[in-house]
Amino acid sequence: MRPPSEQKGCMSTSLISYWFRWQSFIPDLVAAAKTSETICENCMAILKLLSEEVFDFSRGEMTQQKIEELKQSLNSEFQLIHELCLYVLSASQRIELIRATLSTLHAFLSWIPLGYIFESTLLETLLKFFPVPSSRNLTLQCLTEVASLNFGDYYNVQYVKMYNIFMVQLQTILPPTTNIPEAYAHGSGEEQAFIQNLALFFTSFYKFHIRVLESSQENISALLMGLEYLINISYVDDTEVFKVCLDYWNSLILELFDSHHNMGNPAVTANMMGLQVPLLPGIVDGLCAQLLQRRRLYAGIMSKLRMLMICRMAKPEEVLIVEDENGNIVRETMKDNDVLVQYKIMRETLIYLSHLDHEDTEKQMLKKLSKQLSGEDWTWNNLNTLCWAIGSISGSMMEEQENRFLVMVIRDLLNLCEITKGKDNKAVIASNIMYVVGQYPRFLRAHWKFLKTVVNKLFEFMHETHPGVQDMACDTFLKIVQKCKRKFVIVQVGENEPFVSELLSALATTVADLEPHQIHSFYESVGHMIQAESDPHKRDEYLQRLMALPNQKWGEIIGQARQSVDFLKDQDVIRTVLNILQTNTSVASSLGTYFLSQISLIFLDMLNVYRMYSELISSSIAEGVPFASKTSYVKLLRSVKRETLKLIETFLDKAEDQPQIGKQFVPPMMDPVLGDYARNMPDARESEVLSLFATIINKYKAAMIDDVPRIFEAVFQCTLEMITKNFEDYPEHRLKFFSLLRAIATHCFPALIQLSSQQLKLVMDSIIWAFRHTERNIAETGLNLLLEMLRNFQASEFCNQFYRTYFLTIEQEIFAVLTDTFHKPGFKLHVLILQQLFCLVENGLLTEPLWDAATVPLQYPNNEMFVREYTIKLLTTSFPNMTAAEVTQLVNGLFDSRNDLPTFKNHIRDFLVQSKEFSAQDNKDLYAEEAAVQREKERQRMLSIPGLIAPNEIQDEMLDS
């Protein structure tokens, strides 16, 4: 039995081959259909299959030219199919046959000549079947397909007529007063499908033809009625239905906003409206008047849309407290990506709506909030969606209006928290307060008393043990401090000392009820505050006070260990050591260079603990107990080692580039860290050693050249033996190893030149092994490393020697991963490497031949001719489905375009599709670079519109000034 996909392919081949070989296939089929209704139904099914097989399932299996030929052939014979369908719909009473005919029509409508739709009785016939329950959904699908066609203004009259007749019929089938969400909830499958299809019809029609309805006063009422239907459908409790509606609302509001936003730019406005006229003053005034009239036309709809967005706002990522299926308030355990995508679209739509009328947005939100306070509209969901909507429009208002709005919102939410009883209710309100205040750093920076009240409220929530509340309080505190840190280190009006000093005095009490990971987040936040202090003496004093508790515990542990080293072996002590190190790492991540005094205090003792724990791990594994490396005791010891390495790496990475810091910290680590890695058994080697030294080399660059041989000797051979046995073992070591190699190649290349030819071969073999890897990060790191090596060797005195040894191997290996379909994400780098190789043989840098005279009998005039011929042979052998002429044309094209990267890249894309390796695949990775450019353009557009990028996502060093 073949798999379904192959069966479908067979059916396609069978139908198409019948059609090709049997010249009168369609005429005979149509003639047979007229002999009986049963045969006619079967013929309809065959015709539908033919359309689907040729134009849907064959995409990627046939060339565009072939599809176009088939389409033209079907077009010429469609008159027979068209006449048959109209005949059946006008003459038959058999429900199954009518449904089969409508289904067949639906398959053809997207591509047949428009005359068959608009210059015949087809639309009129379809509209007659719309009121009939048995054929309503299929008819609506056909009408939606027609509504999706967009070929200019030629058939506007027919579209308007179709829409108006449709709306008259719809009011009978589904009266405008119907509660559509309720009807959907209690409806049958067919009735629910009708609402879904109705949403698709309206959104398709408006997307392409709303302008023609707007242009005539007599169509306005029908247009507004249809939009009202769509708003009511948007309240239906079905994710797919809502997605359809939301996508359309987003596009409509974006269009209205763009018109409003560009009103001062007549050329852009005229272009958006599809007008090509000279922009004389009178015409410009007319355009502006049209835009204002259009906004007034949709004002009522937009107001209802604001309420829709407020009532249905999706949950943002920052909110951790959710209602489970049993109605309990719990901490969220898994992010729902679909909800996050929906939130992004809804947030964008509401921001556009807010810009179009700030007053209406504010009024609707405050009115809904007052109903929460009065209890009239109080539910968890209503408060949640309202607060998520309030948070989502941050940055879209003028500062003065935002200040006034936020004062009322925060005041009402704090009041609601005071008057509401019940732990679950309070948890929901707390979650919403934290979300809203976290979204408005500009407001908090401008209002110290509110900022202090909010932070103290967060401290209260840190004692609330309801699931998720403490986590969210710590997350919100960190977010606020990052954007307002300067405010906490200056003495505010009416205060005796900076807030940070007040906080440090009550530190033990504030964190008393927090879990270790929450304490680490809290310490990171305070580190950001201290980092904002410009006075070095005060900064050191604050840091000393912040670290007093962990330093006291650390001192006690080290003191006990000096008396008896066995004290460090106790599991509770190991956990305490781990916790202290994690606290230090959190502060180092936010303090950077200013953490120097603290890490200097514990550094040497920390390395001694590292060495001791490493010996304990090795002895436990060496004893040969099965799975010794997996025991909880060894895992705990390794956690301390990893955290030690992470702390050092974090500090060195965040610290400013000061050579004396490197000189102070790198030499003492050579034996305890590097020597330990080399001596250890594979299962006891920490991958963090590799990332630490990659960070050190990236930080201190050429200053590390003298240390590279020692690093190389300690990690290279032993790590390669671990990771090259297969593609699965030691996954963390793989990426970090190649990241270290890349750092060396980039900043310490002279050290690589000193390697023996055997060692260099090992390096090159490992790079090839890396970019063959199916793990995207590893393959990409290998390719970047190879590109660095190629460029560095090209500029070195060893250029000839290196390329003579590795040129052909690299070319062959790159073509192998380029065409195997497993490495598509590396396409951009594959292209750059091939371009580098092909350019090299042109510019005369290689003065020695790349071919071996002993094995290659022919003598070539130059390296370019040799590489051309070698590439042609390589590809001809690898792709027997391509002719020699095709391969030669491709290779010549690559050489001719090697100095023009976009053209060179397009040649390779064409080759991949032509070779049929990529024809039926998803090839978006081949265009990833262009997609990235488009994303950056979109980001710049969003930055130009206040609020579209949330204030918390904008990296602005001046935010806390």
Side-chain angles (χ1 to χ4, degrees), residues 803-820:
Y803 278 104
R804 178 158 186 165
T805 308
Y806 296 108
F807 187 103
L808 300 182
T809 303
I810 291 169
E811 183 187 358
Q812 185 174 337
E813 292 290 347
I814 289 296
F815 268 115
V817 291
L818 176 69
T819 56
D820 67 5

Side-chain angles (χ1 to χ4, degrees), residues 103 141 188 205 319 354 572 603 653 696 714 797 861 894 945:
S103 189
Q141 287 172 7
S188 64
F205 193 96
V319 176
S354 178
D572 288 336
F603 184 66
D653 184 43
I696 290 169
E797 59 191 290
L894 290 176
I945 300 168

Side-chain angles (χ1 to χ4, degrees), residues 525-543:
S525 303
V526 183
H528 280 292
M529 288 185 188
I530 296 171
Q531 191 263 340
E533 175 55 69
S534 54
D535 183 334
H537 298 296
K538 285 185 181 177
R539 197 167 53 229
D540 287 345
E541 180 214 327
Y542 293 152
L543 177 57

Side-chain angles (χ1 to χ4, degrees), residues 611-779:
R611 192 197 304 266
M612 180 195 161
Y613 281 179
S614 186
E615 289 167 2
L616 278 175
I617 292 165
S618 295
S619 60
S620 297
I621 294 174
E623 286 169 6
V625 180
F627 307 109
S629 63
K630 309 293 184 193
T631 61
S632 60
Y633 182 64
V634 169
K635 281 183 176 179
L636 192 56
L637 290 171
R638 293 190 70 175
S639 294
V640 173
K641 283 185 70 182
R642 289 190 184 117
E643 195 59 40
T644 303
L645 296 166
K646 184 181 175 185
L647 170 55
I648 299 167
E649 184 181 340
T650 301
F651 169 66
L652 293 177
D653 184 43
K654 298 284 184 181
E656 291 170 10
D657 187 4
Q658 296 177 358
Q660 73 271 18
I661 292 179
K663 287 174 186 170
Q664 179 182 343
F665 289 97
V666 174
M669 288 192 292
M670 283 301 187
D671 186 67
V673 175
L674 266 185
D676 170 73
Y677 185 93
R679 290 188 295 270
N680 255 328
M681 303 174 69
D683 282 354
R685 290 185 186 128
E686 307 304 338
S687 64
E688 286 76 9
V689 172
L690 304 173
S691 60
L692 169 60
F693 279 90
T695 297
I696 290 169
I697 291 171
N698 283 325
K699 192 78 178 178
Y700 300 108
K701 302 181 172 62
M704 292 297 298
I705 285 178
D706 293 341
D707 296 301
V708 168
R710 176 91 184 268
I711 296 169
F712 206 81
E713 184 186 343
V715 306
F716 189 76
Q717 186 81 40
C718 63
T719 308
L720 266 185
E721 288 170 3
M722 290 165 60
I723 65 176
T724 53
K725 289 176 183 172
N726 54 50
F727 282 136
E728 288 80 38
D729 294 345
Y730 307 106
E732 291 181 351
H733 290 72
R734 296 170 187 276
L735 182 58
K736 291 172 183 175
F737 173 73
F738 291 110
S739 296
L740 172 59
L741 263 189
R742 188 181 176 194
I744 293 171
T746 306
H747 303 297
C748 303
F749 182 71
L752 282 181
I753 292 178
Q754 304 304 318
L755 297 176
S756 68
S757 58
Q758 266 188 322
Q759 286 176 314
L760 183 59
K761 185 176 187 311
L762 267 178
V763 172
M764 294 307 296
D765 287 348
S766 69
I767 292 171
I768 290 169
W769 184 89
F771 67 67
R772 281 181 187 167
H773 207 290
T774 50
E775 174 62 44
R776 177 173 180 165
N777 289 341
I778 295 172

Side-chain angles (χ1 to χ4, degrees), residues 490-555:
I490 57 177
V491 180
Q492 299 287 346
V493 177
E495 308 278 350
N496 298 319
E497 59 180 348
F499 184 84
V500 65
S501 181
E502 186 183 320
L503 178 156
L504 290 168
S505 300
L507 181 63
T509 309
T510 306
V511 302
D513 295 322
L514 296 178
E515 296 291 320
H517 73 280
Q518 295 160 348
I519 292 174
H520 303 150
S521 172
F522 189 92
Y523 268 70
E524 182 185 346
S525 303
V526 183
H528 280 292
M529 288 185 188
I530 296 171
Q531 191 263 340
E533 175 55 69
S534 54
D535 183 334
H537 298 296
K538 285 185 181 177
R539 197 167 53 229
D540 287 345
E541 180 214 327
Y542 293 152
L543 177 57
Q544 199 176 344
R545 289 169 66 188
L546 174 64
M547 302 306 294
L549 288 172
N551 282 348
Q552 181 187 343
K553 196 68 187 168
W554 177 261

